[in-house]
Amino acid sequence: MGTDTGEPNEFRESPSRGRWAIAEPPATLREKVHLGFLTARGWGLFAAGAIALLGAFLLGRRELMAVSLFLLVTPLLAAFLLRFGNPALTVTRTFNPPQATTDSSVRVRLHITHRGRSGASIPLSDTLPEDFGKGPEFNYPSRTAAQGAGGSGSWYEYRLRPATRGIYAIGPVRAQVADVFGLAARPAALDAPSALIALPVCEALEPTGIPGEHGSHGQAASNRRLTPDSFEVMTREYRPGDTVRRIHWPATARRGSLMVRQEDYRATPRAVIMLDRSRAAFLSQGAGSEPSLQIPQFTSAPKDSSRRFEWALHAALGVGAYLAQTGFGIDLIDHRGEGVNDVSASGTEEAGELFAGPHATARMQQALAALALEDSGVQRHETARSTLAAALKERMRERGDRLVLILGEPTPEQADDWLEVVGARSKVTVLCVANREAHLFPIISRFRQAGWSAVAVNPKTTLTEAWAGLWHQS
């Protein structure tokens, strides 16, 4: 197959603030009355038939009547057949890399093939989200199209750089399909939209230790008791449906059959990271309200976020990746006690498992990619608090387990609720995100008096600075 390097080779970067739409040109009279099913040639032929029919009626010539009927029916028949026919084009869309990140670009490659005899050149365009503006336009077949056993095919390529995380709907490829005589035309979607997941960037933290943890480099004390390669891991025989990541290769080699890990989570150090995603905490309304950001959700309506929530999510990912590297299994939940995998549209398949092992960071990135602030219809305060308390009690069973709370701007009453829900635990880390962190100093003092490591930050604070401030308190 040929590769078209000239059309289109475009670079599209979405804006970093808000969503915007391309100003559409005013609709023409032909578009307003829905006359777009015939081309100019088709309407000319139809008008000639109408004039011939009028002449046949005035002159009384029967042979002219037959000509007029032919001229009237031919474009209408072409439009009818085109309406119920399908274009013989097949589109394959691939992304390189398969998942994008907000600090890099991704190449979108289209492979379009046609079976049978190729007709005239067909104008095509790929549909992009509003963030990227109007999609690239190109013609099929391309100048370097090659003929193969399965028909002709062309390659097209362009680049995208998403500015926000989420699941973008790329496509479908649209074509203006016409009949062989050029009498009728209609727009047609050649494929379905493809999901492009834009992952948040993970900031690497310096190995300064874990706040509240004493010992060499802050390593988990029970880390040596269970590692993915340890023979002390509880194993069982492979069952259909088990993920390949759980296969324990040393035990498989020893037993001669596939064995999978069955971790004893009571012996595994666990870190529960609670990311508050309530609207009241991160998206203030009324006076002093802050603008909301839109997180794409593929073909569904986008969901809301904010600058402070983006910082909180960035912190949850960075802290989670750091703790996973030190031997902890990460349990990532929201303020209702629900797992992030269960409430995010980009959640991974292993919803009930901890984020642990060499792929923990990549799995957390995917789970957090489409996470947004809570939807409308929230639970009552008492119900939500009791649900969270039960979830924390179930998840945190051992003395070596840790709890990281990433909050917005809690009120004194909410701070008391957190102290009551969490209880007397010495290994609790709190990050509060506010536009003006000085307003949170009384709240931070309450948390520190309870023996917690707590710090207030604003969206301009780097995660490294916040983590260093927490570590100096331990």
Side-chain angles (χ1 to χ4, degrees):
M1 298 296 176
T3 301
D4 192 341
T5 59
E7 53 166 349
N9 189 12
E10 305 180 9
F11 184 81
R12 302 297 180 90
E13 182 171 1
S14 62
S16 58
R17 294 185 180 179
R19 299 174 68 88
W20 56 280
I22 298 296
E24 296 292 341
T28 62
L29 178 62
R30 179 180 175 185
E31 294 172 339
K32 289 180 180 179
V33 296
H34 304 286
L35 299 179
F37 59 92
L38 293 182
T39 63
R41 182 184 301 176
W43 281 115
L45 199 65
F46 186 84
I51 294 174
L53 181 62
L54 180 61
F57 178 76
L58 295 177
L59 299 178
R61 303 298 297 268
R62 183 173 298 179
E63 60 275 13
L64 192 57
M65 177 75 71
V67 173
S68 65
L69 291 177
F70 174 78
L71 295 177
L72 288 172
V73 172
T74 299
L76 296 179
L77 181 61
F80 177 80
L81 295 177
L82 190 65
R83 172 64 180 82
F84 296 98
N86 294 321
L89 295 177
T90 303
V91 178
T92 303
R93 182 185 293 102
T94 56
F95 302 112
N96 185 24
Q99 294 179 336
T101 54
T102 54
D103 64 343
S104 62
S105 62
V106 59
R107 292 184 179 273
V108 184
R109 205 173 197 197
L110 298 171
H111 183 210
I112 303 179
T113 57
H114 175 272
R115 292 190 174 275
R117 297 182 59 185
S118 179
S121 177
I122 302 176
L124 305 176
S125 64
D126 204 8
T127 307
L128 299 181
E130 293 178 350
D131 281 358
F132 299 100
K134 189 176 181 180
E137 299 177 350
F138 43 93
N139 293 320
Y140 178 84
S142 64
R143 294 189 301 269
T144 56
Q147 188 72 26
S152 61
S154 300
W155 293 90
Y156 307 91
E157 187 177 280
Y158 61 93
R159 293 183 295 162
L160 298 175
R161 183 194 292 265
T164 59
R165 58 185 178 82
I167 307 177
Y168 290 85
I170 308 299
V173 172
R174 298 189 178 275
Q176 192 70 15
V177 184
D179 66 296
V180 294
F181 299 106
L183 301 178
R186 72 174 179 91
L190 304 183
D191 66 334
S194 301
L196 174 62
I197 300 180
L199 306 176
V201 179
C202 180
E203 180 179 346
L205 295 175
E206 295 293 333
T208 55
I210 304 175
E213 189 79 57
H214 301 284
S216 108
H217 303 292
Q219 296 291 334
S222 56
N223 184 31
R224 63 180 182 275
R225 290 188 291 172
L226 186 62
T227 60
D229 296 325
S230 175
F231 283 97
E232 298 176 0
V233 176
M234 298 176 61
T235 58
R236 59 171 173 81
E237 293 185 356
Y238 176 85
R239 299 170 187 170
D242 288 335
T243 177
V244 179
R245 296 193 186 101
R246 297 180 65 90
I247 296 178
H248 191 270
W249 297 110
T252 298
R254 185 174 56 182
R255 293 286 299 273
S257 60
L258 282 178
M259 304 293 291
V260 296
R261 296 193 306 271
Q262 185 173 322
E263 290 93 341
D264 183 4
Y265 288 127
R266 291 172 299 176
T268 305
R270 177 185 304 211
V272 178
I273 299 180
M274 198 292 303
L275 174 60
D276 188 0
R277 63 183 192 97
S278 60
R279 288 180 175 271
F282 290 101
L283 197 58
S284 58
Q285 304 295 330
S289 61
E290 52 189 313
S292 63
L293 303 176
Q294 300 295 302
I295 304 301
Q297 304 287 315
F298 194 40
T299 56
S300 302
K303 295 186 177 181
D304 293 334
S305 180
S306 67
R307 289 181 58 205
R308 291 191 293 133
F309 182 70
E310 291 300 305
W311 196 100
L313 185 140
H314 178 75
L317 177 59
V319 173
Y322 179 83
L323 294 177
Q325 293 173 1
T326 58
F328 284 91
I330 308 301
D331 196 354
L332 197 54
I333 63 175
D334 68 353
H335 64 293
R336 301 182 189 177
E338 300 181 15
V340 169
N341 269 323
D342 298 327
V343 297
S344 175
S346 60
T348 58
E349 295 179 358
E350 300 87 357
E353 296 185 4
L354 297 178
F355 297 99
H359 303 288
T361 301
R363 289 174 54 209
M364 280 190 288
Q365 282 181 297
Q366 181 172 341
L368 293 171
L371 188 68
L373 295 175
E374 64 184 353
D375 300 322
S376 57
V378 299
Q379 294 177 317
R380 293 175 52 188
H381 175 69
E382 295 79 5
T383 305
R385 186 174 64 175
S386 61
T387 303
L388 178 61
L392 290 178
K393 183 178 180 180
E394 178 183 358
R395 285 174 163 85
M396 302 190 66
R397 311 175 195 173
E398 294 293 313
R399 296 179 59 87
D401 292 346
R402 298 193 57 85
L403 176 62
V404 179
L405 301 178
I406 302 180
L407 311 176
E409 193 169 352
T411 62
E413 293 76 13
Q414 292 172 338
D416 292 337
D417 288 341
W418 283 113
L419 292 170
E420 181 180 351
V421 167
V422 176
R425 291 183 179 273
S426 59
K427 297 179 180 179
V428 179
T429 302
V430 183
L431 284 165
C432 295
V433 190
N435 289 323
R436 296 182 179 179
E437 62 268 32
H439 295 169
L440 292 180
F441 287 164
I443 306 297
I444 298 300
S445 298
R446 292 193 183 191
F447 289 150
R448 291 177 179 176
Q449 290 173 2
W452 298 358
S453 298
V455 68
V457 299
N458 63 65
K460 296 182 180 180
T461 307
T462 64
L463 181 57
T464 303
E465 294 173 348
W467 190 250
L470 287 169
W471 184 75
H472 287 309
Q473 297 178 27
S474 58

